[in-house]
Amino acid sequence: QVHLAESGGGSVQAGGSLTLSCAASGQPYDSNCMAWFRQTPGKEREMVAAIYTSEGRTFYADSVEGRFTVSQDDAKTTVSLQMNDLKPEDTAMYYCAADYGLRAARFRCLRPSVVDYWGQGTQVTISS
């Protein structure tokens, strides 16, 4: 039902900027939240940035706070991640995520285990 389509990945030199976009389709209703996660080989998937749909409240990983900005469109179907001052350590596969759960839950979109749907991922590579 729900499909998350990511775009904007690519290769950028350190210090550069990149914007990722995720469009949700087939939503039964507005998501509770949408988020961006990233993963590198041998490491667990980690939350990069998240936004709660109705509240607009945002969350960021300590490693990206101040450099990345997550936002949503008025229709609440698209979430963007503006990445500035990119570093080689930001290199990873970035995944869009969304949660549509009806039950109360803690840490929605903040942990991989509290996410309902995932995009296919888009590669971000930062060269030094």
Side-chain angles (χ1 to χ4, degrees), residues 33-38 44-52 59 61 95-99 105-118:
C33 53
M34 297 184 72
W36 288 96
F37 287 74
R38 67 185 181 188
E44 295 184 352
R45 192 168 299 186
E46 65 173 350
M47 188 275 292
V48 176
I51 182 167
Y52 276 58
F59 299 86
Y95 297 90
C96 179
D99 180 85
R106 300 180 66 184
F107 308 115
R108 289 189 191 277
C109 292
L110 305 183
R111 296 179 177 179
S113 60
V114 200
V115 169
D116 289 332
Y117 297 93
W118 297 93

Side-chain angles (χ1 to χ4, degrees), residues 39-94:
Q39 186 172 26
T40 56
K43 297 182 179 180
E44 295 184 352
R45 192 168 299 186
E46 65 173 350
M47 188 275 292
V48 176
I51 182 167
Y52 276 58
T53 306
S54 62
E55 303 170 356
R57 186 177 183 183
T58 58
F59 299 86
Y60 297 94
D62 291 341
S63 60
V64 307
E65 190 162 9
R67 298 188 297 119
F68 292 9
T69 302
V70 64
S71 61
Q72 63 184 358
D73 66 342
D74 292 338
K76 302 178 181 179
T77 56
T78 300
V79 62
S80 298
L81 183 66
Q82 176 64 50
M83 304 183 292
N84 297 321
D85 191 25
L86 287 162
K87 304 175 180 180
E89 63 192 69
D90 293 318
T91 295
M93 182 70 73
Y94 284 70

Side-chain angles (χ1 to χ4, degrees), residues 7-20 83 86-88 90-94 122-128:
S7 62
S11 181
V12 183
Q13 292 185 342
S17 299
L18 201 62
T19 300
L20 304 182
M83 304 183 292
L86 287 162
K87 304 175 180 180
D90 293 318
T91 295
M93 182 70 73
Y94 284 70
T122 183
Q123 180 67 40
V124 172
T125 302
I126 311 303
S127 60
S128 59

